[in-house]
Each structure stands twice: as structure tokens, then as C-alpha cells.
Amino acid sequence: MSDQTTPTRITTVERDGLVLDVHDEGPLDGEIVVLLHGFPERADCWRLVAPILNEAGCRTLAMDQRGYAKGARPPRRRDYRMSELLGDVRALAEATGGRVHVVGHDWGAIPAWLIAMHHPELVASLTAVSVPHPQAFLTSMVRSAQGLKSWYMLAFQAPFVPELMARTPGGLLDKQLRASGMTADDVARFRRQIVDDGALTTALNWYRALPFADPRLTRHKVTVPTTMVWSDDDIALGRWGVERTARLVDAPYRFVELNGISHWIPTQAPEQLAAAILDRVGSA
């Protein structure tokens, strides 16, 4: 008689009184791929990628992270420190009862990098999308043009100003998103899911918590198989940090460059991204 239990769907993860929503799809016995969204999107930014992974036999867990999930919007900036973001992803990984393949885009890449650094026992592989190793990114801020590309990170520190920019449909924030390559449909989705749903301030708190970050968290190499996916039309993330990420990974590593694709890789190059993820999952 087997003592193994049948896996069940994970619809929420609870941590410190917060409830994070999880979209659990694909075969229950498949390799588990955790999908972490960035700003200003939610878990359904993976809506074109997840079905491809599911069809290939993977089970996908796309989580609405803190600040986005309705049951996980603490008001304080310090509640969005990197250590808290890491804790949420760790809780999801532990809920699966095994090792997971972690994929993170934009801000979602930060807790993805962190769990690979600090809890390799939970991580079978890592696919980072757009954002390089945090240490490489920090160095790029002073060694390249990345500091200029990241001007918005400073602008988002101002209280109320970004919220005012987003108040009017078609206003300045919408125009900035369109300039970054986001489609009109995805800007409309941003307005419904983030602005109209009351999640803008708590989503911005990921940026506003940066002054509380412990820099020691990022001073580690990654020891799990890793793929870095970057697009050359990304106006937010430059090449310098991406090219120096390999030296911060002590494990099999692959760099995938997508040509002619903007920052929004999961929705604009889902087939290519899914192929990179599946290649990493298969090799791990």
C-alpha cells in the first residue's frame, strides 16, 4: 500500500494573516512551475504562457502577490520588504510539499532570485525574466545607463503623485505604460485590475519599501540551474546587468535574448518564453 497522498489544488496561501490567491492549473502530477508576476500586473499576465506549460505536462501555480491579492494588501511600506516577498514565495513552495521550478518576471523576478539564493532545497530551477540577479542590477545602476532607465523607481517614492498620474484614463501613467510597449488592451486590464480595484498604492509599495531593504539578502550566488530571459527592446532593463548575471550563478546557466520584444515578455512572446522555461525544466 502506498503512503503517498493525492495532490490537491492550491487556491490560496495564508501567511501572517494575509491570503494570497493562487491559480493552479495543469496536471496535478506534473512538474510544478511557480509563476510570479511583476508591476503593474497580476497573475493572469501568465494567461498565454501557462496553457503551453500545462499542455507540455507541467502544473502551473500563478500567484497574485501581496499588494495585489484582495486578502493581502497591508498598508505599511515596510510590509513589502524583500524579506516579506521572499517569505510569501517560500510559503507557496512549501505548500506543494516538493521542489518547484520558479519563474519570475519584472518585480516577480526578485523573490524568484531570492528563494533560489536562500532556499535551494525548495527550488528545482529558476527562470528569471527581464530582471537580472539583484546584485548585478544594483551594480548596473552605477556602472551603466541603468540608473537613467530606472528613473521611475525614484519617482514612485513620492507619495500620492503616481496615484494622481493614474487617476485619469489615458493620462500620464497610461501613456508611460504604452511607451514601454504595453498594448492598449493590457493598459485597460491594468486600469481594471490595479487602479479600479484599489491595488495601485499597495502595488507601488514594492518600490516604496526599497529604503527598508536589507542589502545582505542579495549578496549570494545562485546554486540551482538558471535561465535568464531578456528582450532587447526593453526600455526599463538594460544589457549591462544581464550580461554580468552569469558570474553570480554557480550552476548550469543559459542566457536567452529575445529580439524585437518589449519589456512585457509573458504577453508578447509567450511561445518563446514557454520554450525557454520548458528547456530549463527539462534539463533540471
Side-chain angles (χ1 to χ4, degrees):
M1 179 182 295
S2 172
D3 62 356
Q4 294 182 342
T5 58
T6 302
T8 57
R9 294 293 180 193
I10 299 172
T11 58
T12 59
V13 170
E14 296 186 28
R15 177 172 176 265
D16 294 342
L18 304 181
V19 180
L20 302 152
D21 300 313
V22 180
H23 303 263
D24 184 346
E25 300 173 304
L28 283 170
D29 61 350
E31 291 283 333
I32 299 175
V33 182
V34 170
L35 301 170
L36 304 173
H37 67 83
F39 176 89
E41 299 182 293
R42 292 172 76 161
D44 71 346
C45 75
W46 300 104
R47 63 192 178 275
L48 303 179
V49 176
I52 302 174
L53 302 182
N54 300 153
E55 183 65 25
C58 293
R59 177 185 176 188
T60 55
L61 303 179
M63 182 169 70
D64 275 334
Q65 300 193 77
R66 68 169 57 208
Y68 297 84
K70 285 182 178 293
R73 296 178 184 174
R76 301 184 309 168
R77 289 186 300 158
R78 64 177 60 251
D79 291 324
Y80 297 83
R81 291 169 294 172
M82 287 190 285
S83 58
E84 296 295 340
L85 310 180
L86 167 60
D88 294 343
V89 179
R90 179 184 178 182
L92 175 57
E94 290 177 337
T96 70
R99 299 177 77 210
V100 300
H101 303 271
V102 183
V103 182
H105 172 246
D106 186 79
W107 252 114
I110 298 301
W113 281 111
L114 291 174
I115 193 170
M117 289 181 215
H118 295 279
H119 298 286
E121 74 281 0
L122 298 176
V123 179
S125 76
L126 165 67
T127 301
V129 188
S130 301
V131 177
H133 187 290
Q135 200 60 45
F137 177 76
L138 288 172
T139 305
S140 74
M141 293 284 279
V142 295
R143 296 284 300 277
S144 73
Q146 184 60 56
L148 295 175
K149 288 178 175 289
S150 298
W151 63 269
Y152 60 91
M153 297 178 71
L154 180 60
F156 285 168
Q157 299 300 315
F160 311 120
V161 175
E163 288 88 339
L164 289 173
M165 291 169 56
R167 177 171 294 177
T168 304
L172 187 55
L173 188 53
D174 287 12
K175 290 177 180 177
Q176 289 295 330
L177 292 173
R178 291 286 281 137
S180 73
M182 188 175 275
T183 67
D185 285 346
D186 282 332
V187 171
R189 188 182 296 270
F190 154 72
R191 297 211 64 83
R192 291 194 307 272
Q193 295 186 345
I194 307 300
V195 179
D196 296 344
D197 198 52
L200 182 58
T201 295
T202 49
L204 286 165
N205 278 346
W206 285 52
Y207 293 96
R208 292 168 174 167
L210 286 172
F212 302 100
D214 182 350
R216 294 173 295 181
L217 269 180
T218 66
R219 294 173 185 166
H220 299 266
K221 288 189 174 183
V222 169
T223 57
V224 302
T226 299
T227 294
M228 174 77 236
V229 182
W230 177 78
S231 48
D232 63 358
D233 274 356
D234 192 325
I235 69 169
L237 282 305
R239 184 183 295 274
W240 197 96
V242 169
E243 290 184 338
R244 284 154 181 81
T245 288
R247 65 187 67 178
L248 294 167
V249 179
D250 280 343
Y253 177 80
R254 183 185 177 202
F255 171 52
V256 176
E257 180 174 340
L258 304 181
N259 301 120
I261 305 297
S262 80
H263 174 75
W264 311 102
I265 294 174
T267 52
Q268 295 183 7
E271 295 88 356
Q272 292 162 281
L273 177 54
I277 295 168
L278 290 170
D279 178 70
R280 176 50 65 202
V281 169
S283 65

